[in-house]
Amino acid sequence: MKSFDGKVSVITGAGSGIGRGLAIRLAEANSRLAISDINTEGLEETAEIVRKVRSNIDVRAYSLDVSSREAVFAHADQVKTDFGTAHCVFNNAGVTLVAKIEHMTIEELEWLLGINLWGVIYGTKAFLPMLLEQNEGHIINISSVFGFVTVPTQGAYHVAKFGVRGFTECLSRELALDKECNVHATCVHPGGIDTNIANAARFGEEIGDYENKLAEDTK
């Protein structure tokens, strides 16, 4: 796919940060936008921004919890109803948790994996059949530099981002097996970007001195 002009781009986590930036750039490229976020206030702000970028833009905003399999598959159905199809799917929604592995609870780990890993898996599985049916499209899954390297207190985040990397790279190789296939998958690994994810980081409920020092340093 060589142009976004008139194509349908699906973006999760579009209420701020990378998701909002993607929406703006895609609006400039004359893409039609299906944007979603669990933060509906931020999502509406993004919608208003892209309408200022291009007054006649076809943009629809959807409240979506990507950790819910039922919600994500229903979202794919709704996008198909509203736009007829999808072409580019940006599985971008993400959160972070600050806690050493010994201190994080299973519930905290499940919360992060539900959004950062399962959200990507659900988004891929929900939209991929649509792309394959029309033999055109691209799945773009957002990992992180933390999908390559590790640092203390980011164990849960690493599990998700390494998982996104492996999942997407495998999908890419599988799609390439069919030389006639015009559907592709790409894993993106952003480094340090000035978004709200760090400011909105959740600190574990049972953290110790090391994590508390990090919390103080970020104030």
Side-chain angles (χ1 to χ4, degrees), residues 1-36:
M1 197 171 71
K2 297 181 179 180
S3 172
F4 292 107
D5 188 10
K7 302 299 184 181
V8 179
S9 297
V10 178
I11 311 169
T12 67
S16 63
I18 291 175
R20 177 173 290 177
L22 283 168
I24 293 169
R25 292 301 299 273
L26 288 162
E28 292 171 344
N30 201 37
S31 181
R32 303 164 69 199
L33 298 179
I35 59 175
S36 65

PDB file of all heavy atoms in Angstrom, residues 1-36:
ATOM      1  N   MET A   1       0.842  -1.175   0.000  1.00  0.00           N
ATOM      2  CA  MET A   1       0.000   0.000   0.000  1.00  0.00           C
ATOM      3  C   MET A   1       0.888   1.239   0.000  1.00  0.00           C
ATOM      4  O   MET A   1       1.659   1.460   0.947  1.00  0.00           O
ATOM      5  CB  MET A   1      -0.918   0.003   1.219  1.00  0.00           C
ATOM      6  CG  MET A   1      -2.087   0.953   1.117  1.00  0.00           C
ATOM      7  SD  MET A   1      -3.250   0.728   2.455  1.00  0.00           S
ATOM      8  CE  MET A   1      -2.307   1.394   3.809  1.00  0.00           C
ATOM      9  N   LYS A   2       0.822   2.024  -1.043  1.00  0.00           N
ATOM     10  CA  LYS A   2       1.739   3.134  -1.240  1.00  0.00           C
ATOM     11  C   LYS A   2       1.169   4.490  -0.834  1.00  0.00           C
ATOM     12  O   LYS A   2       1.888   5.475  -0.806  1.00  0.00           O
ATOM     13  CB  LYS A   2       2.167   3.176  -2.703  1.00  0.00           C
ATOM     14  CG  LYS A   2       2.933   1.931  -3.144  1.00  0.00           C
ATOM     15  CD  LYS A   2       3.367   2.024  -4.584  1.00  0.00           C
ATOM     16  CE  LYS A   2       4.138   0.782  -4.997  1.00  0.00           C
ATOM     17  NZ  LYS A   2       4.577   0.851  -6.413  1.00  0.00           N
ATOM     18  N   SER A   3      -0.119   4.534  -0.523  1.00  0.00           N
ATOM     19  CA  SER A   3      -0.733   5.818  -0.173  1.00  0.00           C
ATOM     20  C   SER A   3      -1.815   5.603   0.873  1.00  0.00           C
ATOM     21  O   SER A   3      -2.506   4.572   0.874  1.00  0.00           O
ATOM     22  CB  SER A   3      -1.340   6.463  -1.419  1.00  0.00           C
ATOM     23  OG  SER A   3      -2.090   7.615  -1.072  1.00  0.00           O
ATOM     24  N   PHE A   4      -1.946   6.582   1.778  1.00  0.00           N
ATOM     25  CA  PHE A   4      -3.016   6.557   2.776  1.00  0.00           C
ATOM     26  C   PHE A   4      -4.265   7.278   2.272  1.00  0.00           C
ATOM     27  O   PHE A   4      -5.288   7.264   2.951  1.00  0.00           O
ATOM     28  CB  PHE A   4      -2.548   7.226   4.067  1.00  0.00           C
ATOM     29  CG  PHE A   4      -1.478   6.475   4.802  1.00  0.00           C
ATOM     30  CD1 PHE A   4      -0.168   6.939   4.810  1.00  0.00           C
ATOM     31  CD2 PHE A   4      -1.771   5.314   5.490  1.00  0.00           C
ATOM     32  CE1 PHE A   4       0.825   6.261   5.494  1.00  0.00           C
ATOM     33  CE2 PHE A   4      -0.793   4.614   6.181  1.00  0.00           C
ATOM     34  CZ  PHE A   4       0.517   5.080   6.178  1.00  0.00           C
ATOM     35  N   ASP A   5      -4.184   7.877   1.120  1.00  0.00           N
ATOM     36  CA  ASP A   5      -5.271   8.687   0.585  1.00  0.00           C
ATOM     37  C   ASP A   5      -6.545   7.854   0.431  1.00  0.00           C
ATOM     38  O   ASP A   5      -6.594   6.899  -0.338  1.00  0.00           O
ATOM     39  CB  ASP A   5      -4.858   9.257  -0.773  1.00  0.00           C
ATOM     40  CG  ASP A   5      -5.867  10.265  -1.303  1.00  0.00           C
ATOM     41  OD1 ASP A   5      -6.777  10.658  -0.558  1.00  0.00           O
ATOM     42  OD2 ASP A   5      -5.733  10.657  -2.476  1.00  0.00           O
ATOM     43  N   GLY A   6      -7.571   8.218   1.208  1.00  0.00           N
ATOM     44  CA  GLY A   6      -8.850   7.530   1.136  1.00  0.00           C
ATOM     45  C   GLY A   6      -8.899   6.203   1.866  1.00  0.00           C
ATOM     46  O   GLY A   6      -9.960   5.573   1.935  1.00  0.00           O
ATOM     47  N   LYS A   7      -7.768   5.755   2.402  1.00  0.00           N
ATOM     48  CA  LYS A   7      -7.729   4.485   3.113  1.00  0.00           C
ATOM     49  C   LYS A   7      -8.237   4.651   4.549  1.00  0.00           C
ATOM     50  O   LYS A   7      -8.191   5.739   5.122  1.00  0.00           O
ATOM     51  CB  LYS A   7      -6.308   3.923   3.135  1.00  0.00           C
ATOM     52  CG  LYS A   7      -5.705   3.706   1.749  1.00  0.00           C
ATOM     53  CD  LYS A   7      -6.498   2.709   0.936  1.00  0.00           C
ATOM     54  CE  LYS A   7      -5.810   2.431  -0.400  1.00  0.00           C
ATOM     55  NZ  LYS A   7      -6.561   1.471  -1.228  1.00  0.00           N
ATOM     56  N   VAL A   8      -8.707   3.562   5.121  1.00  0.00           N
ATOM     57  CA  VAL A   8      -9.233   3.575   6.486  1.00  0.00           C
ATOM     58  C   VAL A   8      -8.136   3.150   7.457  1.00  0.00           C
ATOM     59  O   VAL A   8      -7.617   2.033   7.368  1.00  0.00           O
ATOM     60  CB  VAL A   8     -10.447   2.649   6.624  1.00  0.00           C
ATOM     61  CG1 VAL A   8     -10.965   2.666   8.066  1.00  0.00           C
ATOM     62  CG2 VAL A   8     -11.546   3.053   5.645  1.00  0.00           C
ATOM     63  N   SER A   9      -7.800   4.049   8.376  1.00  0.00           N
ATOM     64  CA  SER A   9      -6.789   3.762   9.395  1.00  0.00           C
ATOM     65  C   SER A   9      -7.457   3.627  10.758  1.00  0.00           C
ATOM     66  O   SER A   9      -8.206   4.512  11.183  1.00  0.00           O
ATOM     67  CB  SER A   9      -5.735   4.875   9.439  1.00  0.00           C
ATOM     68  OG  SER A   9      -5.029   4.959   8.222  1.00  0.00           O
ATOM     69  N   VAL A  10      -7.177   2.534  11.423  1.00  0.00           N
ATOM     70  CA  VAL A  10      -7.716   2.241  12.750  1.00  0.00           C
ATOM     71  C   VAL A  10      -6.599   2.477  13.761  1.00  0.00           C
ATOM     72  O   VAL A  10      -5.509   1.918  13.624  1.00  0.00           O
ATOM     73  CB  VAL A  10      -8.212   0.786  12.827  1.00  0.00           C
ATOM     74  CG1 VAL A  10      -8.724   0.464  14.222  1.00  0.00           C
ATOM     75  CG2 VAL A  10      -9.275   0.522  11.775  1.00  0.00           C
ATOM     76  N   ILE A  11      -6.869   3.294  14.769  1.00  0.00           N
ATOM     77  CA  ILE A  11      -5.840   3.629  15.763  1.00  0.00           C
ATOM     78  C   ILE A  11      -6.409   3.454  17.163  1.00  0.00           C
ATOM     79  O   ILE A  11      -7.361   4.140  17.547  1.00  0.00           O
ATOM     80  CB  ILE A  11      -5.353   5.081  15.610  1.00  0.00           C
ATOM     81  CG1 ILE A  11      -4.988   5.406  14.164  1.00  0.00           C
ATOM     82  CG2 ILE A  11      -4.168   5.341  16.538  1.00  0.00           C
ATOM     83  CD1 ILE A  11      -4.755   6.889  13.925  1.00  0.00           C
ATOM     84  N   THR A  12      -5.815   2.564  17.950  1.00  0.00           N
ATOM     85  CA  THR A  12      -6.200   2.455  19.355  1.00  0.00           C
ATOM     86  C   THR A  12      -5.300   3.366  20.186  1.00  0.00           C
ATOM     87  O   THR A  12      -4.200   3.733  19.773  1.00  0.00           O
ATOM     88  CB  THR A  12      -6.090   1.013  19.866  1.00  0.00           C
ATOM     89  OG1 THR A  12      -4.706   0.602  19.887  1.00  0.00           O
ATOM     90  CG2 THR A  12      -6.898   0.065  18.994  1.00  0.00           C
ATOM     91  N   GLY A  13      -5.767   3.737  21.364  1.00  0.00           N
ATOM     92  CA  GLY A  13      -4.994   4.637  22.213  1.00  0.00           C
ATOM     93  C   GLY A  13      -4.786   5.993  21.575  1.00  0.00           C
ATOM     94  O   GLY A  13      -3.736   6.621  21.729  1.00  0.00           O
ATOM     95  N   ALA A  14      -5.805   6.477  20.871  1.00  0.00           N
ATOM     96  CA  ALA A  14      -5.678   7.727  20.118  1.00  0.00           C
ATOM     97  C   ALA A  14      -6.001   8.964  20.943  1.00  0.00           C
ATOM     98  O   ALA A  14      -5.984  10.075  20.423  1.00  0.00           O
ATOM     99  CB  ALA A  14      -6.585   7.684  18.887  1.00  0.00           C
ATOM    100  N   GLY A  15      -6.270   8.794  22.228  1.00  0.00           N
ATOM    101  CA  GLY A  15      -6.634   9.931  23.057  1.00  0.00           C
ATOM    102  C   GLY A  15      -5.472  10.812  23.459  1.00  0.00           C
ATOM    103  O   GLY A  15      -5.678  11.906  23.988  1.00  0.00           O
ATOM    104  N   SER A  16      -4.248  10.363  23.201  1.00  0.00           N
ATOM    105  CA  SER A  16      -3.066  11.154  23.557  1.00  0.00           C
ATOM    106  C   SER A  16      -1.844  10.526  22.903  1.00  0.00           C
ATOM    107  O   SER A  16      -1.936   9.496  22.241  1.00  0.00           O
ATOM    108  CB  SER A  16      -2.879  11.207  25.086  1.00  0.00           C
ATOM    109  OG  SER A  16      -2.637   9.908  25.600  1.00  0.00           O
ATOM    110  N   GLY A  17      -0.702  11.164  23.108  1.00  0.00           N
ATOM    111  CA  GLY A  17       0.579  10.578  22.763  1.00  0.00           C
ATOM    112  C   GLY A  17       0.758  10.140  21.322  1.00  0.00           C
ATOM    113  O   GLY A  17       0.379  10.851  20.381  1.00  0.00           O
ATOM    114  N   ILE A  18       1.357   8.970  21.145  1.00  0.00           N
ATOM    115  CA  ILE A  18       1.643   8.449  19.815  1.00  0.00           C
ATOM    116  C   ILE A  18       0.366   8.287  19.012  1.00  0.00           C
ATOM    117  O   ILE A  18       0.325   8.600  17.813  1.00  0.00           O
ATOM    118  CB  ILE A  18       2.393   7.108  19.914  1.00  0.00           C
ATOM    119  CG1 ILE A  18       3.806   7.335  20.461  1.00  0.00           C
ATOM    120  CG2 ILE A  18       2.474   6.427  18.549  1.00  0.00           C
ATOM    121  CD1 ILE A  18       4.585   6.062  20.721  1.00  0.00           C
ATOM    122  N   GLY A  19      -0.689   7.814  19.654  1.00  0.00           N
ATOM    123  CA  GLY A  19      -1.956   7.622  18.951  1.00  0.00           C
ATOM    124  C   GLY A  19      -2.499   8.915  18.387  1.00  0.00           C
ATOM    125  O   GLY A  19      -2.975   8.959  17.239  1.00  0.00           O
ATOM    126  N   ARG A  20      -2.423   9.979  19.165  1.00  0.00           N
ATOM    127  CA  ARG A  20      -2.874  11.280  18.668  1.00  0.00           C
ATOM    128  C   ARG A  20      -1.966  11.768  17.543  1.00  0.00           C
ATOM    129  O   ARG A  20      -2.447  12.294  16.531  1.00  0.00           O
ATOM    130  CB  ARG A  20      -2.904  12.301  19.801  1.00  0.00           C
ATOM    131  CG  ARG A  20      -3.287  13.705  19.343  1.00  0.00           C
ATOM    132  CD  ARG A  20      -3.468  14.650  20.516  1.00  0.00           C
ATOM    133  NE  ARG A  20      -4.667  14.323  21.284  1.00  0.00           N
ATOM    134  CZ  ARG A  20      -5.040  14.961  22.397  1.00  0.00           C
ATOM    135  NH1 ARG A  20      -4.301  15.959  22.866  1.00  0.00           N
ATOM    136  NH2 ARG A  20      -6.152  14.609  23.033  1.00  0.00           N
ATOM    137  N   GLY A  21      -0.659  11.596  17.706  1.00  0.00           N
ATOM    138  CA  GLY A  21       0.269  11.995  16.659  1.00  0.00           C
ATOM    139  C   GLY A  21       0.016  11.262  15.361  1.00  0.00           C
ATOM    140  O   GLY A  21       0.056  11.854  14.268  1.00  0.00           O
ATOM    141  N   LEU A  22      -0.262   9.978  15.454  1.00  0.00           N
ATOM    142  CA  LEU A  22      -0.596   9.197  14.263  1.00  0.00           C
ATOM    143  C   LEU A  22      -1.852   9.732  13.589  1.00  0.00           C
ATOM    144  O   LEU A  22      -1.902   9.863  12.354  1.00  0.00           O
ATOM    145  CB  LEU A  22      -0.806   7.727  14.648  1.00  0.00           C
ATOM    146  CG  LEU A  22       0.439   6.887  14.916  1.00  0.00           C
ATOM    147  CD1 LEU A  22       0.043   5.565  15.557  1.00  0.00           C
ATOM    148  CD2 LEU A  22       1.214   6.641  13.628  1.00  0.00           C
ATOM    149  N   ALA A  23      -2.866  10.035  14.396  1.00  0.00           N
ATOM    150  CA  ALA A  23      -4.122  10.543  13.835  1.00  0.00           C
ATOM    151  C   ALA A  23      -3.896  11.842  13.069  1.00  0.00           C
ATOM    152  O   ALA A  23      -4.448  12.038  11.976  1.00  0.00           O
ATOM    153  CB  ALA A  23      -5.151  10.746  14.953  1.00  0.00           C
ATOM    154  N   ILE A  24      -3.076  12.706  13.605  1.00  0.00           N
ATOM    155  CA  ILE A  24      -2.801  13.991  12.948  1.00  0.00           C
ATOM    156  C   ILE A  24      -2.076  13.770  11.625  1.00  0.00           C
ATOM    157  O   ILE A  24      -2.453  14.331  10.586  1.00  0.00           O
ATOM    158  CB  ILE A  24      -1.985  14.903  13.881  1.00  0.00           C
ATOM    159  CG1 ILE A  24      -2.829  15.315  15.092  1.00  0.00           C
ATOM    160  CG2 ILE A  24      -1.483  16.135  13.128  1.00  0.00           C
ATOM    161  CD1 ILE A  24      -2.047  16.000  16.194  1.00  0.00           C
ATOM    162  N   ARG A  25      -1.032  12.940  11.645  1.00  0.00           N
ATOM    163  CA  ARG A  25      -0.272  12.711  10.415  1.00  0.00           C
ATOM    164  C   ARG A  25      -1.115  12.001   9.356  1.00  0.00           C
ATOM    165  O   ARG A  25      -1.010  12.299   8.160  1.00  0.00           O
ATOM    166  CB  ARG A  25       0.978  11.884  10.735  1.00  0.00           C
ATOM    167  CG  ARG A  25       2.003  12.612  11.565  1.00  0.00           C
ATOM    168  CD  ARG A  25       2.499  13.892  10.892  1.00  0.00           C
ATOM    169  NE  ARG A  25       3.155  13.631   9.619  1.00  0.00           N
ATOM    170  CZ  ARG A  25       4.445  13.345   9.474  1.00  0.00           C
ATOM    171  NH1 ARG A  25       5.230  13.304  10.542  1.00  0.00           N
ATOM    172  NH2 ARG A  25       4.957  13.131   8.282  1.00  0.00           N
ATOM    173  N   LEU A  26      -1.937  11.080   9.775  1.00  0.00           N
ATOM    174  CA  LEU A  26      -2.787  10.361   8.822  1.00  0.00           C
ATOM    175  C   LEU A  26      -3.883  11.261   8.263  1.00  0.00           C
ATOM    176  O   LEU A  26      -4.277  11.132   7.102  1.00  0.00           O
ATOM    177  CB  LEU A  26      -3.380   9.118   9.481  1.00  0.00           C
ATOM    178  CG  LEU A  26      -2.362   7.997   9.720  1.00  0.00           C
ATOM    179  CD1 LEU A  26      -2.891   6.998  10.745  1.00  0.00           C
ATOM    180  CD2 LEU A  26      -2.019   7.284   8.414  1.00  0.00           C
ATOM    181  N   ALA A  27      -4.355  12.184   9.097  1.00  0.00           N
ATOM    182  CA  ALA A  27      -5.318  13.164   8.593  1.00  0.00           C
ATOM    183  C   ALA A  27      -4.676  14.027   7.516  1.00  0.00           C
ATOM    184  O   ALA A  27      -5.295  14.320   6.482  1.00  0.00           O
ATOM    185  CB  ALA A  27      -5.819  14.041   9.741  1.00  0.00           C
ATOM    186  N   GLU A  28      -3.441  14.405   7.733  1.00  0.00           N
ATOM    187  CA  GLU A  28      -2.711  15.190   6.738  1.00  0.00           C
ATOM    188  C   GLU A  28      -2.532  14.407   5.439  1.00  0.00           C
ATOM    189  O   GLU A  28      -2.452  15.006   4.352  1.00  0.00           O
ATOM    190  CB  GLU A  28      -1.347  15.595   7.297  1.00  0.00           C
ATOM    191  CG  GLU A  28      -1.429  16.590   8.455  1.00  0.00           C
ATOM    192  CD  GLU A  28      -0.103  16.807   9.140  1.00  0.00           C
ATOM    193  OE1 GLU A  28       0.823  15.980   8.942  1.00  0.00           O
ATOM    194  OE2 GLU A  28       0.022  17.805   9.888  1.00  0.00           O
ATOM    195  N   ALA A  29      -2.476  13.069   5.561  1.00  0.00           N
ATOM    196  CA  ALA A  29      -2.313  12.209   4.388  1.00  0.00           C
ATOM    197  C   ALA A  29      -3.648  11.824   3.757  1.00  0.00           C
ATOM    198  O   ALA A  29      -3.699  10.971   2.876  1.00  0.00           O
ATOM    199  CB  ALA A  29      -1.537  10.954   4.772  1.00  0.00           C
ATOM    200  N   ASN A  30      -4.738  12.439   4.232  1.00  0.00           N
ATOM    201  CA  ASN A  30      -6.080  12.228   3.683  1.00  0.00           C
ATOM    202  C   ASN A  30      -6.632  10.831   3.949  1.00  0.00           C
ATOM    203  O   ASN A  30      -7.410  10.287   3.161  1.00  0.00           O
ATOM    204  CB  ASN A  30      -6.111  12.517   2.178  1.00  0.00           C
ATOM    205  CG  ASN A  30      -7.523  12.820   1.684  1.00  0.00           C
ATOM    206  OD1 ASN A  30      -8.310  13.457   2.388  1.00  0.00           O
ATOM    207  ND2 ASN A  30      -7.856  12.355   0.490  1.00  0.00           N
ATOM    208  N   SER A  31      -6.224  10.262   5.071  1.00  0.00           N
ATOM    209  CA  SER A  31      -6.776   8.972   5.473  1.00  0.00           C
ATOM    210  C   SER A  31      -8.116   9.177   6.170  1.00  0.00           C
ATOM    211  O   SER A  31      -8.378  10.234   6.750  1.00  0.00           O
ATOM    212  CB  SER A  31      -5.813   8.259   6.422  1.00  0.00           C
ATOM    213  OG  SER A  31      -6.311   6.992   6.816  1.00  0.00           O
ATOM    214  N   ARG A  32      -8.962   8.178   6.098  1.00  0.00           N
ATOM    215  CA  ARG A  32     -10.182   8.141   6.911  1.00  0.00           C
ATOM    216  C   ARG A  32      -9.811   7.490   8.240  1.00  0.00           C
ATOM    217  O   ARG A  32      -9.022   6.538   8.264  1.00  0.00           O
ATOM    218  CB  ARG A  32     -11.273   7.345   6.190  1.00  0.00           C
ATOM    219  CG  ARG A  32     -11.581   7.897   4.804  1.00  0.00           C
ATOM    220  CD  ARG A  32     -12.359   6.887   3.965  1.00  0.00           C
ATOM    221  NE  ARG A  32     -13.701   6.689   4.470  1.00  0.00           N
ATOM    222  CZ  ARG A  32     -14.452   5.619   4.171  1.00  0.00           C
ATOM    223  NH1 ARG A  32     -13.976   4.645   3.410  1.00  0.00           N
ATOM    224  NH2 ARG A  32     -15.676   5.536   4.658  1.00  0.00           N
ATOM    225  N   LEU A  33     -10.380   7.981   9.336  1.00  0.00           N
ATOM    226  CA  LEU A  33      -9.886   7.588  10.655  1.00  0.00           C
ATOM    227  C   LEU A  33     -10.960   6.955  11.532  1.00  0.00           C
ATOM    228  O   LEU A  33     -12.021   7.537  11.758  1.00  0.00           O
ATOM    229  CB  LEU A  33      -9.313   8.799  11.378  1.00  0.00           C
ATOM    230  CG  LEU A  33      -8.120   9.509  10.742  1.00  0.00           C
ATOM    231  CD1 LEU A  33      -7.703  10.702  11.602  1.00  0.00           C
ATOM    232  CD2 LEU A  33      -6.954   8.561  10.549  1.00  0.00           C
ATOM    233  N   ALA A  34     -10.628   5.778  12.063  1.00  0.00           N
ATOM    234  CA  ALA A  34     -11.416   5.136  13.110  1.00  0.00           C
ATOM    235  C   ALA A  34     -10.542   5.132  14.357  1.00  0.00           C
ATOM    236  O   ALA A  34      -9.652   4.279  14.507  1.00  0.00           O
ATOM    237  CB  ALA A  34     -11.805   3.718  12.719  1.00  0.00           C
ATOM    238  N   ILE A  35     -10.739   6.112  15.229  1.00  0.00           N
ATOM    239  CA  ILE A  35      -9.874   6.274  16.394  1.00  0.00           C
ATOM    240  C   ILE A  35     -10.604   5.821  17.655  1.00  0.00           C
ATOM    241  O   ILE A  35     -11.809   5.978  17.785  1.00  0.00           O
ATOM    242  CB  ILE A  35      -9.399   7.730  16.542  1.00  0.00           C
ATOM    243  CG1 ILE A  35     -10.585   8.694  16.682  1.00  0.00           C
ATOM    244  CG2 ILE A  35      -8.535   8.126  15.342  1.00  0.00           C
ATOM    245  CD1 ILE A  35     -10.164  10.145  16.965  1.00  0.00           C
ATOM    246  N   SER A  36      -9.846   5.257  18.585  1.00  0.00           N
ATOM    247  CA  SER A  36     -10.474   4.750  19.803  1.00  0.00           C
ATOM    248  C   SER A  36      -9.575   4.955  21.007  1.00  0.00           C
ATOM    249  O   SER A  36      -8.362   5.103  20.886  1.00  0.00           O
ATOM    250  CB  SER A  36     -10.795   3.254  19.657  1.00  0.00           C
ATOM    251  OG  SER A  36      -9.599   2.494  19.540  1.00  0.00           O
TER     252      SER A  36
END
